[in-house]
Amino acid sequence: MKGVSPVSAVVCLLVLVAACASPREPGPSEVRVVATGLDDPYEMVWGPDAFLWVTEKSGRRVTRVDPANGRKVVALTVDDAVHTTGGQDGVLGLALHPDLLGGKGRDWVYLAHTYEAGDGRRTKIVRYTYDPARQVLTSPSDVITGLVSSVDHQSGKLRFGPDGRLYYTIGDQGANQFGLYCETIEAQTLPTAAQVRAGDWSDYQGKVLRLDLDGSVPGDNPEFGGVRSHVYAVGFRNAQGLAFAPSGLLYGTDQGPKTDDEVNLLRPGKNYGWPHVAGHRDGRAYVHARWAEAKNGCAAETFDDYEIPPAVPRTEETDWDDPAFTPPLVTFETVDDDFDFRADTRCDPATAFVCWPTPALSSLEPGPGGTLLATSLKDGAVYRIPLTSDGEKAGAATRIADTVNRYRDTAVDPTGRTLYIATDGAGFTRDAAGTPTRVLANPGTILSYEL
Ligand SMILES: [Ca+2]
Ligand SMILES: [Ca+2]
């Protein structure tokens, strides 16, 4: 377990470095191992059977875990799911119908996963029926198919809303950076009426979607540009957190490019800014470099995380405005324009992203006492975010449950006292000193922590 020495606490006070911005809470609770041997658990939900229902992204399974003893029962192997080694695709979001095991004939479980379509990889959402006698998921029925997919920024979180609709986050697919730097970010691109009529969902990336349970477009979905589609809100980069609070308000996280991870209050018809804006529209430490529009063609340019070549057009945050723009409730690690992203010499070019200040928020869960709980991939920590009583504002986050792991998702038991945390199987995180490491304390594990 990580701890904060008095010396480092004093150093934090003195220099107020970004990593110290969220004070750690004292407390007697410790992190315990519940179950091991999971292949990149991605989404974890507390079920009415008092089991944790877990998707395994690379394992291409849905596994039920008994939190009392860690026993694992495979409910489904997704034969047509595909996963790229090291990629963000695979078996992703899971949502349970509220009538599951309620004796109403609606023992339904919704699952999102990547699959091989004729013309490349896509994502679909499928409804399965749970057979409690055999403890397996059967009778797959497609809800929606043909959603975009790539190796990066899938987001892929699925929720059953209090309004009886499905909500799904779909990321910007990792466009405009790293190996995909010549792809254009389509998070602001709106589907046309002709596309909706044709069932063409190819412009849904970088959005939050809202679907009827049969996959159709709800009649009360918002219109964007005069067109009603599955799109509920636009302008996201990698929205891996999605949570309905008991109030019915919907919250989500987004991962910033190097700064400005976000917690957002999600409302229909709103624009959350990406890629024009990261965090607030404040012109701090982010400009949008449009690599695909490079003067001599994108391929003529070499991608660089820090220097934008003169031939690559750029847009400042303040160059863009939209009345629907909705700033985040909270940002994590907003830094100033002169922040040196290369200053941390503990990272090399291959691990630079680990040293950039953002925590890489990876999930969101309602916590006790009107809080939200967000996991971090780069910190192996859960951030506890207090909300105001009306849910419209949030206070400063505090860190709990620190370990050297990549935290992927959480679930809370019905008492609200025990928090379960699922960890990635591999990848980089930061150790207690903030140094990048790929030695994870508990890879592919479900941990518990008493709140
Ligand atoms: Ca945003
Ligand atoms: Ca900003």
Side-chain angles (χ1 to χ4, degrees):
M1 301 304 115
K2 293 181 201 172
V4 178
S5 74
V7 172
S8 66
V10 168
V11 170
C12 286
L13 285 172
L14 288 176
V15 300
L16 205 67
V17 295
C20 304
S22 302
R24 238 165 270 186
E25 292 187 348
S29 185
E30 59 185 57
V31 175
R32 298 173 190 278
V33 172
V34 172
T36 59
L38 293 148
D39 292 329
D40 292 305
Y42 195 80
E43 184 133 85
M44 177 168 62
V45 178
W46 184 273
D49 53 353
F51 274 61
L52 294 160
W53 292 62
V54 184
T55 63
E56 294 177 75
K57 180 183 71 176
S58 63
R60 301 184 301 132
R61 288 183 292 267
V62 177
T63 298
R64 293 166 55 251
V65 177
D66 186 344
N69 54 25
R71 185 170 62 96
K72 294 181 290 184
V73 185
V74 175
L76 173 69
T77 299
V78 191
D79 291 327
D80 62 333
V82 289
H83 164 73
T84 308
T85 302
Q88 296 188 12
D89 53 348
V91 176
L92 303 173
L94 175 130
L96 307 179
H97 193 287
D99 291 338
L100 175 66
L101 298 174
K104 298 177 182 173
R106 289 189 287 273
D107 292 326
W108 294 332
V109 173
Y110 299 87
L111 186 67
H113 69 83
T114 316
Y115 69 101
E116 202 72 61
D119 55 349
R121 290 186 172 182
R122 298 283 185 274
T123 297
K124 61 180 174 180
I125 299 172
V126 187
R127 190 194 78 188
Y128 285 84
T129 302
Y130 184 58
D131 176 348
R134 295 166 51 221
Q135 301 190 60
V136 293
L137 290 165
T138 64
S139 312
S141 168
D142 289 343
V143 174
I144 190 169
T145 62
L147 300 171
V148 293
S149 182
S150 88
V151 297
D152 209 0
H153 292 189
Q154 296 303 285
S155 303
K157 291 296 172 74
L158 187 62
R159 295 289 175 268
F160 197 101
D163 56 359
R165 281 9 190 268
L166 290 171
Y167 291 76
Y168 184 68
T169 64
I170 178 167
D172 76 357
Q173 309 298 305
N176 202 48
Q177 66 167 11
F178 307 138
L180 300 173
Y181 75 102
C182 288
E183 305 284 325
T184 302
I185 297 170
E186 307 288 2
Q188 297 285 332
T189 306
L190 303 176
T192 65
Q195 282 178 311
V196 175
R197 277 195 302 273
D200 172 359
W201 320 130
S202 57
D203 284 331
Y204 277 5
Q205 56 268 54
K207 316 292 193 308
V208 174
L209 307 181
R210 179 175 181 260
L211 303 85
D212 273 331
L213 297 185
D214 64 358
S216 58
V217 172
D220 58 349
N221 263 13
E223 291 187 359
F224 286 89
V227 176
R228 182 174 290 118
S229 68
H230 295 101
V231 176
Y232 184 74
V234 306
F236 301 94
R237 184 170 177 271
N238 196 8
Q240 293 188 351
L242 187 66
F244 280 98
S247 63
L249 292 174
L250 179 62
Y251 300 87
T253 63
D254 204 5
Q255 293 176 356
K258 293 189 190 67
T259 69
D260 289 300
D261 279 9
E262 304 175 349
V263 175
N264 292 299
L265 175 55
L266 301 177
R267 296 195 189 278
K270 296 298 185 185
N271 189 330
Y272 291 82
W274 182 252
H276 300 302
V277 173
H280 291 270
R281 191 171 158 268
D282 52 10
R284 289 172 71 187
Y286 171 70
V287 294
H288 178 206
R290 308 193 318 265
W291 290 89
E293 300 168 48
K295 194 172 162 194
N296 302 313
C298 182
E301 304 294 338
T302 303
F303 180 71
D304 190 307
D305 264 312
Y306 308 102
E307 305 293 340
I308 305 170
V312 175
R314 59 170 76 195
T315 316
E316 304 282 342
E317 288 190 327
T318 47
D319 291 340
W320 175 80
D321 201 6
D322 182 332
F325 173 62
T326 305
L329 296 186
V330 187
T331 63
F332 286 72
E333 311 307 343
T334 301
V335 298
D336 279 321
D337 228 13
D338 59 357
F339 186 87
D340 184 357
F341 291 100
R342 285 171 284 197
D344 194 333
T345 54
R346 293 175 296 187
C347 282
D348 58 29
T351 60
F353 71 96
V354 191
C355 282
W356 297 338
T358 50
L361 298 182
S362 49
S363 71
L364 197 64
E365 183 87 30
T371 61
L372 295 171
L373 303 172
T375 51
S376 163
L377 297 174
K378 295 202 295 196
D379 286 333
V382 177
Y383 286 92
R384 178 146 58 184
I385 303 149
L387 295 171
T388 52
S389 56
D390 63 2
E392 302 271 349
K393 292 191 172 64
T398 51
R399 276 171 77 148
I400 56 173
D402 275 51
T403 63
V404 182
N405 283 301
R406 287 169 57 85
Y407 282 177
R408 177 55 68 179
D409 196 22
T410 56
V412 180
D413 80 344
T415 70
R417 286 199 291 271
T418 303
L419 176 69
Y420 295 93
I421 306 164
T423 69
D424 276 6
F428 281 97
T429 192
R430 300 189 278 226
D431 69 13
T435 306
T437 179
R438 61 196 320 167
V439 181
L440 304 175
N442 309 98
T445 297
I446 295 173
L447 304 167
S448 71
Y449 180 88
E450 299 306 311
L451 289 167

